Amino acid sequence: MKQQSIFVTVGSTNFDELIKAIDNQEAQNQLKQLGYNKVVCQIGSGNYEPKTEFFRFKSSLSEDYQKADLIICHCGAGTILECLKLKKKIIVVNNDTLMNNHQMELFNALTKQQLVCGIKSTKQIQSELIDKIKESSQLKAYPLPEPNKIDSIIDSMF
Amino acid sequence: MLILSILILLLVYVGFRFCIRSKYNKKYNMLVLFGSGGHTYEMLMSLKNYDFQRKCQNLYFMHSFADSQEPGRVAKFIEDNKIALPKVEWITIHRSRKVKQSYLSSIITTIKATLHTFLILLRFRDLDIFITNGPGTCIPVVIVLFAQYLLFIRKRCKILFIESWCRVENLSLSGKLLYWVSDKFVVNWESLSKKYRRATFVGNLI
């Protein structure tokens, strides 16, 4: 079976619950069964340091996104957009311990359109993560924009 | 009679030329505002396929002092994506509102930023179109453009507002403020265009 890798990213904040959920023996065993034998974590300012490969910050994560087959991320629009455009499988975990509920609109829209798999609250990470990883193979591809749309928009203004 | 018909022919010809020119060959003087982080990324993504070489006379990119790394990021993106641009001039203005600044103090800093922007934009009176995707800094720029138009300092500069991709159900604060002011209001999600009737949705732009 092809060896696949997972990249977990939490952005600039901390999200220990997410890192812990993937960094334990049980989860690792199940991931191996699914064909994922490499996990890299970007843990930001988190307190928990995983046993798997990890780092805190980098100026650009583009390379890590490109290398990964599956990306598990917090609900940050920039990360999600960049990964969608790379046509990666994405699992978005909403960090409801942070007060950023304006991202919920985006979270709901993307999960509804099956562009990403979503985990709604921190409490559900442990129970849902593996299921969502299985589900992620059925995600739809993000439709790339038609190239000349912006031209016609600007032209229509004059 | 002959002179008259020649005159009419000439008029038709000039009119025809004028139509073609204005429709297809018109070059715009364009001002694009870059906010910080996500705003810049989205703006670059939206404009990635725009034919700047053919459509742009003068191209001005604007950022605020606080976002001093933006020119570098923009330059890198342009290089990475091999976007052909005419010569770009950067304009730097004051920032009107820091992230999480309170509304009351925002008003004072916005007034200061507006005055500063007024002076700077006096140098750029040839603008045809201003493109923004809603960082706070866009509000003083729009106020200044409109004020200078009223004071006969400049011709009318059209405003294109592109709402952030993150906005699915509700407009951002800048979006709400510029909803009636902008000449074209573009959104990235169909749900927004159904709720706000002035908003145009033409599929996702990024």
Side-chain angles (χ1 to χ4, degrees):
Chain A
M1 193 191 269
K2 190 184 160 278
Q3 301 203 335
Q4 297 193 89
S5 68
I6 296 179
F7 180 56
V8 186
T9 170
V10 306
S12 54
T13 54
N14 62 59
F15 201 174
D16 286 341
E17 293 89 347
L18 174 59
I19 305 293
K20 279 178 193 163
I22 203 150
D23 188 52
N24 61 64
Q25 203 53 50
E26 200 196 326
Q28 293 289 330
N29 288 341
Q30 280 176 308
L31 289 178
K32 277 211 179 91
Q33 275 177 13
L34 293 169
Y36 294 100
N37 46 17
K38 192 183 177 202
V39 178
V40 181
C41 299
Q42 181 263 322
I43 64 168
S45 55
N47 297 313
Y48 178 77
E49 294 193 344
K51 290 183 274 302
T52 56
E53 193 182 328
F54 79 94
F55 61 91
R56 287 189 179 273
F57 296 105
K58 257 186 207 172
S59 59
S60 167
L61 297 174
S62 304
E63 210 176 294
D64 297 281
Y65 297 149
Q66 264 153 18
K67 274 193 230 155
D69 298 285
L70 171 72
I71 289 149
I72 304 176
C73 64
H74 69 121
C75 197
T79 308
I80 299 174
L81 183 59
E82 195 170 347
C83 297
L84 277 175
K85 291 185 80 73
L86 290 168
K87 301 208 181 285
K88 298 288 177 182
K89 292 185 282 183
I90 307 163
I91 295 174
V92 178
V93 186
N94 183 41
N95 189 353
D96 51 10
T97 55
L98 298 175
M99 301 295 281
N100 61 344
N101 277 334
H102 69 278
Q103 303 274 31
M104 274 315 278
E105 293 181 2
L106 185 65
F107 177 92
N108 290 334
L110 291 171
T111 47
K112 201 174 148 202
Q113 299 197 2
Q114 287 182 294
L115 294 168
V116 305
C117 282
I119 298 177
K120 265 211 169 86
S121 95
T122 316
K123 288 186 213 96
Q124 294 163 327
I125 300 178
Q126 286 283 358
S127 55
E128 287 189 5
L129 190 61
I130 299 294
D131 288 340
K132 293 291 177 187
I133 292 175
K134 285 178 193 161
E135 255 177 58
S136 67
S137 55
Q138 281 149 31
L139 287 174
K140 289 178 184 149
Y142 180 73
L144 294 177
E146 287 160 37
N148 50 9
K149 252 177 207 163
I150 190 73
D151 284 55
S152 55
I153 287 175
I154 294 175
D155 281 348
S156 75
M157 294 174 68
F158 290 94
Chain B
M1 194 63 202
L2 187 74
I3 294 168
L4 198 72
S5 58
I6 287 174
L7 224 89
I8 289 170
L9 268 172
L10 203 75
L11 223 78
V12 167
Y13 174 72
V14 168
F16 183 67
R17 279 290 300 272
F18 183 77
C19 281
I20 289 198
R21 260 188 80 112
S22 59
K23 201 89 187 137
Y24 302 103
N25 291 332
K26 172 106 171 68
K27 286 193 165 191
Y28 311 126
N29 298 318
M30 196 176 273
L31 174 65
V32 182
L33 175 66
F34 289 99
S36 50
H39 282 300
T40 296
Y41 179 75
E42 284 193 24
M43 180 57 85
L44 289 167
M45 276 299 178
S46 314
L47 295 179
K48 197 173 140 185
N49 293 307
Y50 189 69
D51 193 349
F52 286 101
Q53 288 281 28
R54 202 163 58 86
K55 299 282 180 71
C56 254
Q57 180 89 46
N58 294 318
L59 183 57
Y60 306 107
F61 284 174
M62 183 183 251
H63 75 120
S64 69
F65 280 126
D67 310 314
S68 52
Q69 76 279 37
E70 296 314 310
R73 283 185 52 196
V74 172
K76 188 174 180 302
F77 184 92
I78 286 163
E79 198 188 307
D80 290 350
N81 287 282
K82 300 187 179 67
I83 300 172
L85 287 183
K87 196 175 156 292
V88 174
E89 187 170 341
W90 276 94
I91 305 172
T92 310
I93 57 164
H94 279 299
R95 193 170 190 172
S96 66
R97 180 172 179 267
K98 292 194 187 83
V99 175
K100 285 178 185 152
Q101 192 181 335
S102 78
Y103 278 96
L104 189 71
S105 67
S106 299
I107 293 172
I108 298 163
T109 43
T110 302
I111 291 170
K112 263 171 73 181
T114 309
L115 291 174
H116 182 245
T117 310
F118 190 96
L119 295 177
I120 287 182
L121 281 181
L122 284 177
R123 270 182 58 215
F124 306 94
R125 273 174 289 184
D126 56 347
L127 299 176
D128 293 307
I129 180 166
F130 170 57
I131 305 178
T132 176
N133 59 357
T137 330
C138 71
I139 303 297
V141 177
V142 170
I143 294 172
V144 166
L145 289 175
F146 191 64
Q148 292 184 343
Y149 169 67
L150 288 183
L151 294 170
F152 300 102
I153 294 171
R154 66 167 65 246
K155 58 180 177 174
R156 203 160 110 62
C157 173
K158 304 231 172 165
I159 295 158
L160 169 60
F161 188 90
I162 306 173
E163 183 57 285
S164 165
W165 181 76
C166 315
R167 299 294 173 158
V168 185
E169 301 287 341
N170 295 294
L171 297 180
S172 61
L173 180 62
S174 314
K176 281 174 193 153
L177 290 171
L178 295 186
Y179 180 65
W180 292 104
V181 181
S182 49
D183 293 270
K184 192 119 191 161
F185 195 93
V186 182
V187 292
N188 274 292
W189 294 88
E190 201 172 8
S191 42
L192 263 186
S193 71
K194 279 180 182 153
K195 192 166 164 188
Y196 297 92
R197 299 195 58 192
R198 277 202 85 220
T200 320
F201 171 74
V202 286
N204 59 320
L205 281 170
I206 52 177

